[in-house]
PDB file of all heavy atoms in Angstrom:
ATOM      1  N   THR A1347     116.617 118.303 121.053  1.00  0.00           N
ATOM      2  CA  THR A1347     117.433 119.045 120.092  1.00  0.00           C
ATOM      3  C   THR A1347     118.404 118.099 119.390  1.00  0.00           C
ATOM      4  O   THR A1347     119.591 118.076 119.704  1.00  0.00           O
ATOM      5  CB  THR A1347     118.228 120.167 120.796  1.00  0.00           C
ATOM      6  OG1 THR A1347     118.980 119.575 121.854  1.00  0.00           O
ATOM      7  CG2 THR A1347     117.320 121.258 121.310  1.00  0.00           C
ATOM      8  N   PRO A1348     117.886 117.324 118.446  1.00  0.00           N
ATOM      9  CA  PRO A1348     118.786 116.390 117.779  1.00  0.00           C
ATOM     10  C   PRO A1348     119.798 117.119 116.902  1.00  0.00           C
ATOM     11  O   PRO A1348     119.446 118.060 116.201  1.00  0.00           O
ATOM     12  CB  PRO A1348     117.849 115.524 116.937  1.00  0.00           C
ATOM     13  CG  PRO A1348     116.628 116.337 116.745  1.00  0.00           C
ATOM     14  CD  PRO A1348     116.539 117.267 117.943  1.00  0.00           C
ATOM     15  N   ILE A1349     121.046 116.708 116.990  1.00  0.00           N
ATOM     16  CA  ILE A1349     122.047 117.281 116.104  1.00  0.00           C
ATOM     17  C   ILE A1349     121.924 116.616 114.745  1.00  0.00           C
ATOM     18  O   ILE A1349     121.245 115.604 114.594  1.00  0.00           O
ATOM     19  CB  ILE A1349     123.471 117.115 116.695  1.00  0.00           C
ATOM     20  CG1 ILE A1349     123.769 115.627 116.937  1.00  0.00           C
ATOM     21  CG2 ILE A1349     123.626 117.920 117.960  1.00  0.00           C
ATOM     22  CD1 ILE A1349     125.183 115.371 117.382  1.00  0.00           C
ATOM     23  N   ILE A1350     122.586 117.190 113.769  1.00  0.00           N
ATOM     24  CA  ILE A1350     122.431 116.706 112.393  1.00  0.00           C
ATOM     25  C   ILE A1350     122.763 115.219 112.285  1.00  0.00           C
ATOM     26  O   ILE A1350     122.054 114.479 111.609  1.00  0.00           O
ATOM     27  CB  ILE A1350     123.297 117.534 111.420  1.00  0.00           C
ATOM     28  CG1 ILE A1350     122.705 118.935 111.305  1.00  0.00           C
ATOM     29  CG2 ILE A1350     123.385 116.881 110.048  1.00  0.00           C
ATOM     30  CD1 ILE A1350     123.508 119.900 110.487  1.00  0.00           C
ATOM     31  N   SER A1351     123.797 114.773 112.963  1.00  0.00           N
ATOM     32  CA  SER A1351     124.156 113.356 112.857  1.00  0.00           C
ATOM     33  C   SER A1351     123.047 112.472 113.415  1.00  0.00           C
ATOM     34  O   SER A1351     122.787 111.392 112.908  1.00  0.00           O
ATOM     35  CB  SER A1351     125.479 113.073 113.569  1.00  0.00           C
ATOM     36  OG  SER A1351     125.367 113.356 114.949  1.00  0.00           O
ATOM     37  N   LYS A1352     122.384 112.920 114.486  1.00  0.00           N
ATOM     38  CA  LYS A1352     121.271 112.145 115.037  1.00  0.00           C
ATOM     39  C   LYS A1352     120.098 112.136 114.062  1.00  0.00           C
ATOM     40  O   LYS A1352     119.435 111.128 113.891  1.00  0.00           O
ATOM     41  CB  LYS A1352     120.815 112.728 116.389  1.00  0.00           C
ATOM     42  CG  LYS A1352     121.794 112.516 117.498  1.00  0.00           C
ATOM     43  CD  LYS A1352     121.800 111.068 117.916  1.00  0.00           C
ATOM     44  CE  LYS A1352     122.696 110.875 119.126  1.00  0.00           C
ATOM     45  NZ  LYS A1352     122.922 109.489 119.434  1.00  0.00           N
ATOM     46  N   GLN A1353     119.831 113.275 113.422  1.00  0.00           N
ATOM     47  CA  GLN A1353     118.749 113.325 112.439  1.00  0.00           C
ATOM     48  C   GLN A1353     119.052 112.392 111.277  1.00  0.00           C
ATOM     49  O   GLN A1353     118.174 111.678 110.799  1.00  0.00           O
ATOM     50  CB  GLN A1353     118.551 114.759 111.930  1.00  0.00           C
ATOM     51  CG  GLN A1353     117.982 115.685 112.979  1.00  0.00           C
ATOM     52  CD  GLN A1353     117.927 117.122 112.504  1.00  0.00           C
ATOM     53  OE1 GLN A1353     118.673 117.520 111.619  1.00  0.00           O
ATOM     54  NE2 GLN A1353     117.054 117.902 113.105  1.00  0.00           N
ATOM     55  N   THR A1354     120.314 112.386 110.840  1.00  0.00           N
ATOM     56  CA  THR A1354     120.717 111.513 109.745  1.00  0.00           C
ATOM     57  C   THR A1354     120.549 110.053 110.146  1.00  0.00           C
ATOM     58  O   THR A1354     120.024 109.246 109.379  1.00  0.00           O
ATOM     59  CB  THR A1354     122.183 111.795 109.340  1.00  0.00           C
ATOM     60  OG1 THR A1354     122.289 113.165 108.961  1.00  0.00           O
ATOM     61  CG2 THR A1354     122.630 110.916 108.194  1.00  0.00           C
ATOM     62  N   GLN A1355     120.975 109.719 111.358  1.00  0.00           N
ATOM     63  CA  GLN A1355     120.834 108.348 111.849  1.00  0.00           C
ATOM     64  C   GLN A1355     119.363 107.949 111.933  1.00  0.00           C
ATOM     65  O   GLN A1355     118.984 106.843 111.561  1.00  0.00           O
ATOM     66  CB  GLN A1355     121.512 108.202 113.217  1.00  0.00           C
ATOM     67  CG  GLN A1355     121.490 106.777 113.748  1.00  0.00           C
ATOM     68  CD  GLN A1355     122.235 105.810 112.859  1.00  0.00           C
ATOM     69  OE1 GLN A1355     123.330 106.105 112.393  1.00  0.00           O
ATOM     70  NE2 GLN A1355     121.644 104.664 112.597  1.00  0.00           N
ATOM     71  N   LEU A1356     118.529 108.863 112.409  1.00  0.00           N
ATOM     72  CA  LEU A1356     117.093 108.598 112.498  1.00  0.00           C
ATOM     73  C   LEU A1356     116.517 108.307 111.116  1.00  0.00           C
ATOM     74  O   LEU A1356     115.796 107.322 110.931  1.00  0.00           O
ATOM     75  CB  LEU A1356     116.374 109.796 113.136  1.00  0.00           C
ATOM     76  CG  LEU A1356     114.852 109.733 113.166  1.00  0.00           C
ATOM     77  CD1 LEU A1356     114.373 108.566 114.012  1.00  0.00           C
ATOM     78  CD2 LEU A1356     114.279 111.040 113.695  1.00  0.00           C
ATOM     79  N   LEU A1357     116.844 109.152 110.139  1.00  0.00           N
ATOM     80  CA  LEU A1357     116.343 108.936 108.781  1.00  0.00           C
ATOM     81  C   LEU A1357     116.839 107.606 108.215  1.00  0.00           C
ATOM     82  O   LEU A1357     116.088 106.892 107.553  1.00  0.00           O
ATOM     83  CB  LEU A1357     116.755 110.089 107.866  1.00  0.00           C
ATOM     84  CG  LEU A1357     115.973 111.386 108.066  1.00  0.00           C
ATOM     85  CD1 LEU A1357     116.574 112.497 107.221  1.00  0.00           C
ATOM     86  CD2 LEU A1357     114.514 111.193 107.708  1.00  0.00           C
ATOM     87  N   GLN A1358     118.094 107.276 108.478  1.00  0.00           N
ATOM     88  CA  GLN A1358     118.624 106.003 107.983  1.00  0.00           C
ATOM     89  C   GLN A1358     117.857 104.836 108.592  1.00  0.00           C
ATOM     90  O   GLN A1358     117.500 103.886 107.890  1.00  0.00           O
ATOM     91  CB  GLN A1358     120.117 105.879 108.300  1.00  0.00           C
ATOM     92  CG  GLN A1358     120.982 106.746 107.428  1.00  0.00           C
ATOM     93  CD  GLN A1358     122.456 106.714 107.839  1.00  0.00           C
ATOM     94  OE1 GLN A1358     122.796 106.245 108.921  1.00  0.00           O
ATOM     95  NE2 GLN A1358     123.312 107.222 106.980  1.00  0.00           N
ATOM     96  N   ASN A1359     117.598 104.902 109.892  1.00  0.00           N
ATOM     97  CA  ASN A1359     116.848 103.825 110.552  1.00  0.00           C
ATOM     98  C   ASN A1359     115.446 103.688 109.966  1.00  0.00           C
ATOM     99  O   ASN A1359     114.964 102.581 109.741  1.00  0.00           O
ATOM    100  CB  ASN A1359     116.743 104.080 112.059  1.00  0.00           C
ATOM    101  CG  ASN A1359     118.058 103.899 112.780  1.00  0.00           C
ATOM    102  OD1 ASN A1359     119.035 103.440 112.196  1.00  0.00           O
ATOM    103  ND2 ASN A1359     118.101 104.286 114.028  1.00  0.00           N
ATOM    104  N   ILE A1360     114.799 104.813 109.744  1.00  0.00           N
ATOM    105  CA  ILE A1360     113.430 104.783 109.232  1.00  0.00           C
ATOM    106  C   ILE A1360     113.389 104.335 107.776  1.00  0.00           C
ATOM    107  O   ILE A1360     112.568 103.503 107.401  1.00  0.00           O
ATOM    108  CB  ILE A1360     112.765 106.170 109.399  1.00  0.00           C
ATOM    109  CG1 ILE A1360     112.535 106.458 110.891  1.00  0.00           C
ATOM    110  CG2 ILE A1360     111.449 106.243 108.636  1.00  0.00           C
ATOM    111  CD1 ILE A1360     112.074 107.860 111.192  1.00  0.00           C
ATOM    112  N   MET A1361     114.284 104.865 106.958  1.00  0.00           N
ATOM    113  CA  MET A1361     114.239 104.565 105.524  1.00  0.00           C
ATOM    114  C   MET A1361     114.671 103.136 105.200  1.00  0.00           C
ATOM    115  O   MET A1361     114.416 102.651 104.096  1.00  0.00           O
ATOM    116  CB  MET A1361     115.095 105.559 104.739  1.00  0.00           C
ATOM    117  CG  MET A1361     114.528 106.955 104.737  1.00  0.00           C
ATOM    118  SD  MET A1361     112.852 107.020 104.076  1.00  0.00           S
ATOM    119  CE  MET A1361     112.745 108.717 103.591  1.00  0.00           C
ATOM    120  N   GLN A1362     115.289 102.441 106.135  1.00  0.00           N
ATOM    121  CA  GLN A1362     115.655 101.045 105.894  1.00  0.00           C
ATOM    122  C   GLN A1362     114.480 100.102 106.113  1.00  0.00           C
ATOM    123  O   GLN A1362     114.498  98.956 105.655  1.00  0.00           O
ATOM    124  CB  GLN A1362     116.805 100.637 106.826  1.00  0.00           C
ATOM    125  CG  GLN A1362     118.121 101.253 106.427  1.00  0.00           C
ATOM    126  CD  GLN A1362     119.235 100.943 107.427  1.00  0.00           C
ATOM    127  OE1 GLN A1362     119.055 100.149 108.341  1.00  0.00           O
ATOM    128  NE2 GLN A1362     120.374 101.568 107.232  1.00  0.00           N
ATOM    129  N   LEU A1363     113.450 100.574 106.783  1.00  0.00           N
ATOM    130  CA  LEU A1363     112.330  99.695 107.140  1.00  0.00           C
ATOM    131  C   LEU A1363     111.626  99.071 105.931  1.00  0.00           C
ATOM    132  O   LEU A1363     111.342  97.872 105.949  1.00  0.00           O
ATOM    133  CB  LEU A1363     111.327 100.438 108.018  1.00  0.00           C
ATOM    134  CG  LEU A1363     111.839 100.896 109.383  1.00  0.00           C
ATOM    135  CD1 LEU A1363     110.748 101.641 110.141  1.00  0.00           C
ATOM    136  CD2 LEU A1363     112.371  99.733 110.192  1.00  0.00           C
ATOM    137  N   PRO A1364     111.308  99.841 104.868  1.00  0.00           N
ATOM    138  CA  PRO A1364     110.603  99.209 103.742  1.00  0.00           C
ATOM    139  C   PRO A1364     111.396  98.064 103.113  1.00  0.00           C
ATOM    140  O   PRO A1364     110.808  97.105 102.618  1.00  0.00           O
ATOM    141  CB  PRO A1364     110.400 100.352 102.747  1.00  0.00           C
ATOM    142  CG  PRO A1364     110.434 101.589 103.579  1.00  0.00           C
ATOM    143  CD  PRO A1364     111.412 101.291 104.682  1.00  0.00           C
TER     144      PRO A1364
END
Side-chain angles (χ1 to χ4, degrees):
T1347 55
I1349 58 174
I1350 290 175
S1351 62
K1352 290 288 185 190
Q1353 291 174 336
T1354 302
Q1355 184 62 44
L1356 174 63
L1357 285 173
Q1358 286 175 346
N1359 289 352
I1360 291 172
M1361 291 303 202
Q1362 287 175 8
L1363 296 179

